Amino acid sequence: MARDTVETHFTEAVAALQAGAPRDPHRPIADGASLTGRRCQELFEHQLSSRLLDIAARSLREQGQGFYTIGSAGHEGNAAVAAAVRVTDPALLHYRSGAFYLTRSAATGRLPEEGLRDVLLGLTASSEEPIAGGRHKVFGHPELAVIPQTSTIASHLPRAVGVAFAIERARKLGVPCAWPDDSIAVCSFGDASVNHASALSGLNTAAYGAYQGLPMPVLFVCEDNGLGISVRTPESWIETSRHRGVEYFQADGCDLLDVHETTRRAAEYVRTRRAPALLHLKTVRLMGHAGSDVESAYRTKREIESDLARDPLLRTAATLVHAGLVTPEELLMRYEATREHVLKMAMETARRPRLTSATEIVEPLAPRRPDQVVARAVITAEPAARNRAFGGTPPEAEGPLTLSQAINRTLADALAADPGVLLFGQDLARKGGVYGVTRGLQKRFGAGRVFDTLLDEQSVLGLALGMGVSGMLPVPEIQYLAYLHNALDQIRGEAATLSFFSRGAFRNPMVVRVAGYAYQKGFGGHFHNDNSITALRDIPGLVIASPARPDDAASMLRTCLAAGRADGTVSVFLEPIALYNTRDLFDAGDQGWLAPYPPPARWGETHVPIGRARSYGDGRDLTIVTFGNGLRMSLRAAVRLTGEGVGCRVLDLRWLAPLPTEDLIRAAELTGRVLIADETRRTGGVSEGVVAELLDAGFSGRISRVTSRDSFVPLGDAANHVLLSEAEIEEAARKMLG
Ligand SMILES: Cc1ncc(C[n+]2csc(CCOP(=O)(O)OP(=O)(O)O)c2C)c(N)n1
C-alpha cells in the first residue's frame, strides 16, 4: 500500500531527531511532568497502534474488506486522557478516541493485540467483533466500562450526564450501580459537535444541576481539531462559548505530557468536587475527515502542512528521543514492525466471519422472555412497606378507580417494590404532573426518587438513558406527546439502539410515560392534543403500550416495568389524557370506565403480555379494531349497532408495537369484516399497520378504516372536524354491513 504523506512526514521527521542524554525511565520524563519515561513509552505504543489502525482501515477499504475509515489520526493525545482517569470510570467516546480505547484496554490487563483486534474486527464488520458484532464500528466494551456510541454526533452527551447523575443518585439511595461510587463519567466529542442541541442539552443540564448543588461528576472532553468535516470552527469558539458552571481546562492535545497533566487535574476536580468540567484538547486532524475525503478541496496546502507539523505521534516520539529513552533508529524500526504487524492482523480479521442473516442481525434488538416478565411483574413490596406506601389503605380496597388513579397506584406499587425505580419529568413531582397522575408520590417516596427536571425533553430522556445503563429502572415522563418529538433521537437513536450495538451487553431499560392523544374537551389545540405516533411505530424493538382502561393501564404498566428489568426493554407508555378522569361509558353515572385495582396477589392472573389484545363482545357480523380513545367510542357505537341487531365485537389492540397480530387475525376471521377505528392520522397512522398485517396474513374478508384527518389539531371545538368521531365509526360500520 502506498504511504500517505502523514506516514512519510512522520518517518522523515523521526529520522532527523537528535537523541538526548538518557533519563531514568522510572522518573518523570521531563521536569514537572506527571508521566514517567516508562509510562510515556507505553502510551506511545498505544498512540502508534491507533495511528496504524487508521492506515489499516484505508488498506482494508482499498481491498474492499473494510467499511469504516473515520480515524483518530491527530487525536492520539487522548491516550493520556485514558491514562489519567480510572479504568472503572464509564466512558462514552468520540469516534476519534481510538488511542483512549487501546490505552484503556491495556490498562485492564488485556494484551495489546486484544484491543487492536477489537477495532479491526469493527472495521471489517465481523460478527466476532466483541461489542456490536459487526453491526457498526464503535468503541465499546463492557469489561472496559466503555459504552458504545452511535454515529449521531453529540447524542451521547445527555446520556453521559445521566450516567454521572446515576452514580451519585445510586449512592445516595443505596441501590446497585454499574459504576463505583467515586467514579466519574468521561465523555468525548468533537468541536463542531459542541454546537449541537444535544450537546448543549447535556452541558446545560450538568451546569444546571451543579448550580443547584447537585453532584454531577462528568468530565466532558472536547477534542478540538478546528473542523467539522469541511467547516471551520471559529477561532477560540470553544473557550468563548463555554458554560458557566462547567469548570474549564485546556491542554495542547498534541502534547501527551500536557494532556496527561491537565486531565489529571480536571479528573481530580470532577472526582473530588463531584462537579462537571470541560477538558478542551486542541488537536489536529490528519488524513482528512474520512477515507473518502479530499481535504485539498476545502483546505489550503499550508493549513494541511501546519497540522502535520503538530502531529501528536511525532511529538511523543521526539519527547522519548530527547529523553534518551530510545534512538530514532529504534523508533523507526518499531514503527515498521508495528505497521507490518497491524496490517497483517488486519488481513487476518478480514477473513473472520461476517453477519450472514437477518435473524442473526436482529437477534439483540428486542429480547423477549415472557416467563421472566411474568415473574418480575408479580414482585411486590413487603406487606409492611406496601402498607406504609399506601397509608394503610391498599388501592385494591379503594373501590373502582379512574385511569389516572390506576396509573398513580401502579407507580406507587412499583416504587415500593423496586428501590431502583425513579420517576421524573417536568412538573411531575411537587405538582403531581399537569393532570395530577403522579400526585402525592414525591411526598411518599422522597425527592430522591420522584423529582422535577429542567424543561428539556432531551435531558429528561438523557437522564433516563444514563440511569438505565447504570442499573436503575427510570420512568421518565414527557408532558405531552407533541414534545416527545423535540427529543426523539434520544429514543430512536440512543435508547432503542444500545442493545443492538452492544449485543445486549449494555441495556437501558426504561418506561417513558407520555400523556397523549386528543379529545380534551375544548382544550389545548394541537400541541396538547397531538395524535401522531408515527415517529415511534417503526423503531425496531421499541414497545408501545396504549392502555385505555384503568385495569389494563395497571397491568400493562407492570408489564413494561417488568420487561425493563427482565429484558432491558424500552417502552413508551401512551396515556390518553382525555380518559384520565373519565368515569362513565354508556350513560351518565354508569361508572363503566372505572375499574378496581388488580390486587398484587392476582397480578399473575391479570398480567397482560406484550402484544396481546383484549376483546369485547362476541358478535359475528363485524369486528371493530381500535385502541385508546377509539375503544370507548367503538364500545358505545357497538352497543347501538347491537341494538339494531348487528353482531359486533370490539378488539382493543392495547399494544401498538409489536401489534397483537395473532389476536387481530383471529378476531377478523370470526366476522369476516373488519372496521379499523383509528384516532391517529390517516397517513402513517396505526390503521396502515393493521391493514398490512391483515393482508399479509391472507385475510380475505372486507376491511375498512376510519381515522383522524391528515391535519394538525385546531384549537377549541374545531378539533372535532379533524378528529375521528363516534358518529363516523357508526356510519362506517353501517356502510360495511349494508
Ligand atoms: C447529528 C449529526 N449530523 C450530522 C452528522 C454527519 N457528521 C459526521 S461527523 C461530522 C462532523 C463532526 O465534527 P466534529 O464534532 O468537530 O468532530 P471531528 O470529526 O472533527 O472530530 C458530521 C457533520 C452526524 N454524524 N450527526
Side-chain angles (χ1 to χ4, degrees), residues 82 85-91 100 104 107-108 142-147 163 167 177-186 271:
V85 298
R86 297 184 186 162
V87 287
T88 47
D89 287 334
F100 180 112
R104 177 162 285 193
T108 62
E143 284 151 36
L144 310 184
V146 177
I147 304 166
V163 168
I167 294 167
C177 181
W179 332 108
D181 274 5
D182 58 351
S183 56
I184 65 174
V186 181
R271 201 177 306 281

PDB file of all heavy atoms in Angstrom, residues 82 85-91 100 104 107-108 142-147 163 167 177-186 271:
ATOM      1  N   ALA A  82      -7.065   8.660  28.774  1.00  0.00           N
ATOM      2  CA  ALA A  82      -7.358   7.331  29.339  1.00  0.00           C
ATOM      3  C   ALA A  82      -6.419   7.018  30.498  1.00  0.00           C
ATOM      4  O   ALA A  82      -6.828   6.426  31.501  1.00  0.00           O
ATOM      5  CB  ALA A  82      -7.229   6.266  28.254  1.00  0.00           C
ATOM      6  N   VAL A  85      -7.494   8.917  33.826  1.00  0.00           N
ATOM      7  CA  VAL A  85      -8.733   8.595  34.552  1.00  0.00           C
ATOM      8  C   VAL A  85      -8.676   7.120  34.945  1.00  0.00           C
ATOM      9  O   VAL A  85      -7.729   6.419  34.591  1.00  0.00           O
ATOM     10  CB  VAL A  85     -10.000   8.910  33.704  1.00  0.00           C
ATOM     11  CG1 VAL A  85     -10.076  10.395  33.372  1.00  0.00           C
ATOM     12  CG2 VAL A  85     -10.044   8.072  32.426  1.00  0.00           C
ATOM     13  N   ARG A  86      -9.668   6.662  35.675  1.00  0.00           N
ATOM     14  CA  ARG A  86      -9.623   5.263  36.128  1.00  0.00           C
ATOM     15  C   ARG A  86     -10.264   4.332  35.105  1.00  0.00           C
ATOM     16  O   ARG A  86     -11.194   4.737  34.406  1.00  0.00           O
ATOM     17  CB  ARG A  86     -10.368   5.132  37.455  1.00  0.00           C
ATOM     18  CG  ARG A  86      -9.717   5.928  38.548  1.00  0.00           C
ATOM     19  CD  ARG A  86     -10.430   5.695  39.874  1.00  0.00           C
ATOM     20  NE  ARG A  86      -9.879   6.575  40.880  1.00  0.00           N
ATOM     21  CZ  ARG A  86     -10.476   6.879  42.018  1.00  0.00           C
ATOM     22  NH1 ARG A  86     -11.663   6.365  42.291  1.00  0.00           N
ATOM     23  NH2 ARG A  86      -9.906   7.691  42.882  1.00  0.00           N
ATOM     24  N   VAL A  87      -9.819   3.089  35.113  1.00  0.00           N
ATOM     25  CA  VAL A  87     -10.382   2.132  34.143  1.00  0.00           C
ATOM     26  C   VAL A  87     -11.840   1.840  34.439  1.00  0.00           C
ATOM     27  O   VAL A  87     -12.569   1.353  33.578  1.00  0.00           O
ATOM     28  CB  VAL A  87      -9.608   0.789  34.112  1.00  0.00           C
ATOM     29  CG1 VAL A  87      -8.273   0.944  33.432  1.00  0.00           C
ATOM     30  CG2 VAL A  87      -9.462   0.196  35.485  1.00  0.00           C
ATOM     31  N   THR A  88     -12.267   2.153  35.648  1.00  0.00           N
ATOM     32  CA  THR A  88     -13.664   1.891  36.010  1.00  0.00           C
ATOM     33  C   THR A  88     -14.557   3.111  35.782  1.00  0.00           C
ATOM     34  O   THR A  88     -15.757   3.045  36.022  1.00  0.00           O
ATOM     35  CB  THR A  88     -13.747   1.484  37.492  1.00  0.00           C
ATOM     36  OG1 THR A  88     -12.951   2.412  38.248  1.00  0.00           O
ATOM     37  CG2 THR A  88     -13.264   0.076  37.707  1.00  0.00           C
ATOM     38  N   ASP A  89     -13.988   4.217  35.318  1.00  0.00           N
ATOM     39  CA  ASP A  89     -14.813   5.392  35.015  1.00  0.00           C
ATOM     40  C   ASP A  89     -15.561   5.132  33.711  1.00  0.00           C
ATOM     41  O   ASP A  89     -14.927   4.936  32.659  1.00  0.00           O
ATOM     42  CB  ASP A  89     -13.929   6.644  34.835  1.00  0.00           C
ATOM     43  CG  ASP A  89     -13.356   7.149  36.159  1.00  0.00           C
ATOM     44  OD1 ASP A  89     -13.978   6.892  37.214  1.00  0.00           O
ATOM     45  OD2 ASP A  89     -12.293   7.804  36.131  1.00  0.00           O
ATOM     46  N   PRO A  90     -16.890   5.141  33.739  1.00  0.00           N
ATOM     47  CA  PRO A  90     -17.614   4.880  32.493  1.00  0.00           C
ATOM     48  C   PRO A  90     -17.259   5.914  31.433  1.00  0.00           C
ATOM     49  O   PRO A  90     -17.232   7.111  31.712  1.00  0.00           O
ATOM     50  CB  PRO A  90     -19.090   4.992  32.901  1.00  0.00           C
ATOM     51  CG  PRO A  90     -19.094   5.715  34.207  1.00  0.00           C
ATOM     52  CD  PRO A  90     -17.791   5.428  34.867  1.00  0.00           C
ATOM     53  N   ALA A  91     -16.973   5.418  30.219  1.00  0.00           N
ATOM     54  CA  ALA A  91     -16.530   6.312  29.155  1.00  0.00           C
ATOM     55  C   ALA A  91     -17.452   6.209  27.948  1.00  0.00           C
ATOM     56  O   ALA A  91     -17.843   5.118  27.535  1.00  0.00           O
ATOM     57  CB  ALA A  91     -15.098   5.967  28.751  1.00  0.00           C
ATOM     58  N   PHE A 100      -7.445   6.327  23.167  1.00  0.00           N
ATOM     59  CA  PHE A 100      -8.056   6.180  24.503  1.00  0.00           C
ATOM     60  C   PHE A 100      -8.473   4.724  24.671  1.00  0.00           C
ATOM     61  O   PHE A 100      -8.181   4.080  25.681  1.00  0.00           O
ATOM     62  CB  PHE A 100      -9.273   7.107  24.624  1.00  0.00           C
ATOM     63  CG  PHE A 100      -9.980   7.035  25.962  1.00  0.00           C
ATOM     64  CD1 PHE A 100      -9.951   8.120  26.842  1.00  0.00           C
ATOM     65  CD2 PHE A 100     -10.680   5.898  26.357  1.00  0.00           C
ATOM     66  CE1 PHE A 100     -10.593   8.064  28.078  1.00  0.00           C
ATOM     67  CE2 PHE A 100     -11.340   5.834  27.594  1.00  0.00           C
ATOM     68  CZ  PHE A 100     -11.295   6.919  28.431  1.00  0.00           C
ATOM     69  N   ARG A 104      -7.046   2.135  27.442  1.00  0.00           N
ATOM     70  CA  ARG A 104      -7.886   1.558  28.495  1.00  0.00           C
ATOM     71  C   ARG A 104      -7.893   0.037  28.411  1.00  0.00           C
ATOM     72  O   ARG A 104      -7.848  -0.650  29.431  1.00  0.00           O
ATOM     73  CB  ARG A 104      -9.315   2.089  28.416  1.00  0.00           C
ATOM     74  CG  ARG A 104     -10.161   1.417  29.472  1.00  0.00           C
ATOM     75  CD  ARG A 104     -11.430   2.104  29.782  1.00  0.00           C
ATOM     76  NE  ARG A 104     -11.236   3.295  30.590  1.00  0.00           N
ATOM     77  CZ  ARG A 104     -12.224   3.934  31.198  1.00  0.00           C
ATOM     78  NH1 ARG A 104     -13.454   3.481  31.088  1.00  0.00           N
ATOM     79  NH2 ARG A 104     -12.010   5.015  31.915  1.00  0.00           N
ATOM     80  N   ALA A 107      -4.920  -1.159  30.010  1.00  0.00           N
ATOM     81  CA  ALA A 107      -4.914  -0.869  31.449  1.00  0.00           C
ATOM     82  C   ALA A 107      -5.718  -1.886  32.250  1.00  0.00           C
ATOM     83  O   ALA A 107      -5.532  -2.034  33.461  1.00  0.00           O
ATOM     84  CB  ALA A 107      -5.464   0.527  31.693  1.00  0.00           C
ATOM     85  N   THR A 108      -6.611  -2.606  31.581  1.00  0.00           N
ATOM     86  CA  THR A 108      -7.383  -3.622  32.309  1.00  0.00           C
ATOM     87  C   THR A 108      -6.654  -4.964  32.299  1.00  0.00           C
ATOM     88  O   THR A 108      -7.191  -5.974  32.740  1.00  0.00           O
ATOM     89  CB  THR A 108      -8.778  -3.839  31.678  1.00  0.00           C
ATOM     90  OG1 THR A 108      -8.585  -4.311  30.348  1.00  0.00           O
ATOM     91  CG2 THR A 108      -9.600  -2.582  31.672  1.00  0.00           C
ATOM     92  N   PRO A 142     -17.963  -3.991  27.552  1.00  0.00           N
ATOM     93  CA  PRO A 142     -18.494  -3.972  28.925  1.00  0.00           C
ATOM     94  C   PRO A 142     -17.408  -4.093  29.985  1.00  0.00           C
ATOM     95  O   PRO A 142     -17.503  -3.489  31.043  1.00  0.00           O
ATOM     96  CB  PRO A 142     -19.448  -5.173  28.963  1.00  0.00           C
ATOM     97  CG  PRO A 142     -19.105  -6.006  27.782  1.00  0.00           C
ATOM     98  CD  PRO A 142     -18.486  -5.101  26.764  1.00  0.00           C
ATOM     99  N   GLU A 143     -16.342  -4.839  29.677  1.00  0.00           N
ATOM    100  CA  GLU A 143     -15.295  -5.005  30.695  1.00  0.00           C
ATOM    101  C   GLU A 143     -14.381  -3.786  30.797  1.00  0.00           C
ATOM    102  O   GLU A 143     -13.583  -3.677  31.726  1.00  0.00           O
ATOM    103  CB  GLU A 143     -14.461  -6.249  30.392  1.00  0.00           C
ATOM    104  CG  GLU A 143     -15.198  -7.521  30.760  1.00  0.00           C
ATOM    105  CD  GLU A 143     -14.773  -8.684  29.898  1.00  0.00           C
ATOM    106  OE1 GLU A 143     -13.579  -8.755  29.557  1.00  0.00           O
ATOM    107  OE2 GLU A 143     -15.651  -9.493  29.541  1.00  0.00           O
ATOM    108  N   LEU A 144     -14.493  -2.909  29.843  1.00  0.00           N
ATOM    109  CA  LEU A 144     -13.662  -1.700  29.876  1.00  0.00           C
ATOM    110  C   LEU A 144     -14.469  -0.480  30.309  1.00  0.00           C
ATOM    111  O   LEU A 144     -13.961   0.640  30.290  1.00  0.00           O
ATOM    112  CB  LEU A 144     -13.054  -1.414  28.496  1.00  0.00           C
ATOM    113  CG  LEU A 144     -12.341  -2.550  27.766  1.00  0.00           C
ATOM    114  CD1 LEU A 144     -11.737  -2.042  26.464  1.00  0.00           C
ATOM    115  CD2 LEU A 144     -11.256  -3.146  28.647  1.00  0.00           C
ATOM    116  N   ALA A 145     -15.731  -0.709  30.672  1.00  0.00           N
ATOM    117  CA  ALA A 145     -16.644   0.396  31.026  1.00  0.00           C
ATOM    118  C   ALA A 145     -16.711   1.428  29.905  1.00  0.00           C
ATOM    119  O   ALA A 145     -16.840   2.624  30.157  1.00  0.00           O
ATOM    120  CB  ALA A 145     -16.242   1.050  32.347  1.00  0.00           C
ATOM    121  N   VAL A 146     -16.611   0.955  28.679  1.00  0.00           N
ATOM    122  CA  VAL A 146     -16.763   1.855  27.527  1.00  0.00           C
ATOM    123  C   VAL A 146     -18.126   1.550  26.890  1.00  0.00           C
ATOM    124  O   VAL A 146     -18.346   0.455  26.361  1.00  0.00           O
ATOM    125  CB  VAL A 146     -15.620   1.677  26.500  1.00  0.00           C
ATOM    126  CG1 VAL A 146     -15.864   2.584  25.288  1.00  0.00           C
ATOM    127  CG2 VAL A 146     -14.279   2.001  27.134  1.00  0.00           C
ATOM    128  N   ILE A 147     -19.013   2.514  26.989  1.00  0.00           N
ATOM    129  CA  ILE A 147     -20.383   2.354  26.484  1.00  0.00           C
ATOM    130  C   ILE A 147     -20.381   2.763  25.011  1.00  0.00           C
ATOM    131  O   ILE A 147     -19.956   3.871  24.683  1.00  0.00           O
ATOM    132  CB  ILE A 147     -21.359   3.261  27.277  1.00  0.00           C
ATOM    133  CG1 ILE A 147     -21.266   2.962  28.782  1.00  0.00           C
ATOM    134  CG2 ILE A 147     -22.789   3.099  26.779  1.00  0.00           C
ATOM    135  CD1 ILE A 147     -21.928   4.012  29.671  1.00  0.00           C
ATOM    136  N   VAL A 163     -25.504   9.350  33.276  1.00  0.00           N
ATOM    137  CA  VAL A 163     -24.637   8.381  33.956  1.00  0.00           C
ATOM    138  C   VAL A 163     -24.041   9.029  35.214  1.00  0.00           C
ATOM    139  O   VAL A 163     -24.030   8.445  36.299  1.00  0.00           O
ATOM    140  CB  VAL A 163     -23.522   7.874  33.012  1.00  0.00           C
ATOM    141  CG1 VAL A 163     -22.452   7.113  33.780  1.00  0.00           C
ATOM    142  CG2 VAL A 163     -24.105   6.991  31.907  1.00  0.00           C
ATOM    143  N   ILE A 167     -24.627   7.777  39.084  1.00  0.00           N
ATOM    144  CA  ILE A 167     -23.577   7.351  40.026  1.00  0.00           C
ATOM    145  C   ILE A 167     -23.896   7.910  41.408  1.00  0.00           C
ATOM    146  O   ILE A 167     -23.881   7.194  42.426  1.00  0.00           O
ATOM    147  CB  ILE A 167     -22.185   7.865  39.569  1.00  0.00           C
ATOM    148  CG1 ILE A 167     -21.767   7.205  38.255  1.00  0.00           C
ATOM    149  CG2 ILE A 167     -21.134   7.619  40.653  1.00  0.00           C
ATOM    150  CD1 ILE A 167     -20.568   7.868  37.569  1.00  0.00           C
ATOM    151  N   CYS A 177     -25.332   0.000  41.451  1.00  0.00           N
ATOM    152  CA  CYS A 177     -24.966   0.824  40.292  1.00  0.00           C
ATOM    153  C   CYS A 177     -23.848   0.099  39.551  1.00  0.00           C
ATOM    154  O   CYS A 177     -23.012  -0.568  40.166  1.00  0.00           O
ATOM    155  CB  CYS A 177     -24.497   2.196  40.762  1.00  0.00           C
ATOM    156  SG  CYS A 177     -24.038   3.302  39.411  1.00  0.00           S
ATOM    157  N   ALA A 178     -23.831   0.241  38.245  1.00  0.00           N
ATOM    158  CA  ALA A 178     -22.819  -0.449  37.437  1.00  0.00           C
ATOM    159  C   ALA A 178     -21.423   0.132  37.639  1.00  0.00           C
ATOM    160  O   ALA A 178     -20.430  -0.484  37.250  1.00  0.00           O
ATOM    161  CB  ALA A 178     -23.209  -0.354  35.960  1.00  0.00           C
ATOM    162  N   TRP A 179     -21.328   1.327  38.214  1.00  0.00           N
ATOM    163  CA  TRP A 179     -20.029   2.007  38.327  1.00  0.00           C
ATOM    164  C   TRP A 179     -19.713   2.271  39.800  1.00  0.00           C
ATOM    165  O   TRP A 179     -20.620   2.466  40.603  1.00  0.00           O
ATOM    166  CB  TRP A 179     -20.049   3.329  37.556  1.00  0.00           C
ATOM    167  CG  TRP A 179     -20.997   3.316  36.397  1.00  0.00           C
ATOM    168  CD1 TRP A 179     -22.190   3.963  36.303  1.00  0.00           C
ATOM    169  CD2 TRP A 179     -20.861   2.570  35.174  1.00  0.00           C
ATOM    170  NE1 TRP A 179     -22.805   3.687  35.101  1.00  0.00           N
ATOM    171  CE2 TRP A 179     -22.011   2.838  34.388  1.00  0.00           C
ATOM    172  CE3 TRP A 179     -19.884   1.714  34.659  1.00  0.00           C
ATOM    173  CZ2 TRP A 179     -22.207   2.276  33.124  1.00  0.00           C
ATOM    174  CZ3 TRP A 179     -20.086   1.160  33.411  1.00  0.00           C
ATOM    175  CH2 TRP A 179     -21.225   1.438  32.655  1.00  0.00           C
ATOM    176  N   PRO A 180     -18.423   2.338  40.142  1.00  0.00           N
ATOM    177  CA  PRO A 180     -18.079   2.604  41.542  1.00  0.00           C
ATOM    178  C   PRO A 180     -18.597   3.963  42.026  1.00  0.00           C
ATOM    179  O   PRO A 180     -18.801   4.876  41.229  1.00  0.00           O
ATOM    180  CB  PRO A 180     -16.543   2.604  41.532  1.00  0.00           C
ATOM    181  CG  PRO A 180     -16.136   1.924  40.271  1.00  0.00           C
ATOM    182  CD  PRO A 180     -17.239   2.129  39.293  1.00  0.00           C
ATOM    183  N   ASP A 181     -18.766   4.034  43.335  1.00  0.00           N
ATOM    184  CA  ASP A 181     -19.302   5.248  43.980  1.00  0.00           C
ATOM    185  C   ASP A 181     -18.563   6.522  43.614  1.00  0.00           C
ATOM    186  O   ASP A 181     -19.148   7.579  43.476  1.00  0.00           O
ATOM    187  CB  ASP A 181     -19.128   5.113  45.509  1.00  0.00           C
ATOM    188  CG  ASP A 181     -20.293   4.378  46.118  1.00  0.00           C
ATOM    189  OD1 ASP A 181     -21.146   3.907  45.347  1.00  0.00           O
ATOM    190  OD2 ASP A 181     -20.323   4.279  47.359  1.00  0.00           O
ATOM    191  N   ASP A 182     -17.213   6.397  43.551  1.00  0.00           N
ATOM    192  CA  ASP A 182     -16.424   7.612  43.335  1.00  0.00           C
ATOM    193  C   ASP A 182     -15.975   7.755  41.879  1.00  0.00           C
ATOM    194  O   ASP A 182     -15.026   8.457  41.572  1.00  0.00           O
ATOM    195  CB  ASP A 182     -15.204   7.628  44.265  1.00  0.00           C
ATOM    196  CG  ASP A 182     -14.322   6.410  44.057  1.00  0.00           C
ATOM    197  OD1 ASP A 182     -14.741   5.474  43.315  1.00  0.00           O
ATOM    198  OD2 ASP A 182     -13.211   6.378  44.617  1.00  0.00           O
ATOM    199  N   SER A 183     -16.675   7.046  40.977  1.00  0.00           N
ATOM    200  CA  SER A 183     -16.279   7.159  39.572  1.00  0.00           C
ATOM    201  C   SER A 183     -16.823   8.453  38.974  1.00  0.00           C
ATOM    202  O   SER A 183     -17.658   9.138  39.571  1.00  0.00           O
ATOM    203  CB  SER A 183     -16.765   5.943  38.776  1.00  0.00           C
ATOM    204  OG  SER A 183     -18.152   5.796  38.899  1.00  0.00           O
ATOM    205  N   ILE A 184     -16.308   8.755  37.787  1.00  0.00           N
ATOM    206  CA  ILE A 184     -16.797   9.920  37.048  1.00  0.00           C
ATOM    207  C   ILE A 184     -17.133   9.464  35.628  1.00  0.00           C
ATOM    208  O   ILE A 184     -16.550   8.502  35.141  1.00  0.00           O
ATOM    209  CB  ILE A 184     -15.744  11.060  36.999  1.00  0.00           C
ATOM    210  CG1 ILE A 184     -14.479  10.634  36.209  1.00  0.00           C
ATOM    211  CG2 ILE A 184     -15.348  11.500  38.408  1.00  0.00           C
ATOM    212  CD1 ILE A 184     -13.468  11.761  36.005  1.00  0.00           C
ATOM    213  N   ALA A 185     -18.089  10.137  35.009  1.00  0.00           N
ATOM    214  CA  ALA A 185     -18.405   9.817  33.615  1.00  0.00           C
ATOM    215  C   ALA A 185     -17.474  10.627  32.719  1.00  0.00           C
ATOM    216  O   ALA A 185     -17.262  11.818  32.956  1.00  0.00           O
ATOM    217  CB  ALA A 185     -19.861  10.165  33.318  1.00  0.00           C
ATOM    218  N   VAL A 186     -16.904   9.954  31.718  1.00  0.00           N
ATOM    219  CA  VAL A 186     -15.995  10.626  30.785  1.00  0.00           C
ATOM    220  C   VAL A 186     -16.650  10.605  29.405  1.00  0.00           C
ATOM    221  O   VAL A 186     -17.072   9.542  28.938  1.00  0.00           O
ATOM    222  CB  VAL A 186     -14.633   9.892  30.725  1.00  0.00           C
ATOM    223  CG1 VAL A 186     -13.683  10.609  29.763  1.00  0.00           C
ATOM    224  CG2 VAL A 186     -14.015   9.791  32.109  1.00  0.00           C
ATOM    225  N   ARG A 271     -13.733  14.502  40.260  1.00  0.00           N
ATOM    226  CA  ARG A 271     -13.892  13.394  41.212  1.00  0.00           C
ATOM    227  C   ARG A 271     -14.078  13.895  42.645  1.00  0.00           C
ATOM    228  O   ARG A 271     -14.934  13.391  43.372  1.00  0.00           O
ATOM    229  CB  ARG A 271     -12.677  12.457  41.143  1.00  0.00           C
ATOM    230  CG  ARG A 271     -12.976  11.064  41.676  1.00  0.00           C
ATOM    231  CD  ARG A 271     -11.791  10.111  41.554  1.00  0.00           C
ATOM    232  NE  ARG A 271     -11.237  10.001  40.229  1.00  0.00           N
ATOM    233  CZ  ARG A 271     -11.751   9.280  39.229  1.00  0.00           C
ATOM    234  NH1 ARG A 271     -12.841   8.579  39.440  1.00  0.00           N
ATOM    235  NH2 ARG A 271     -11.171   9.243  38.050  1.00  0.00           N
TER     236      ARG A 271
END
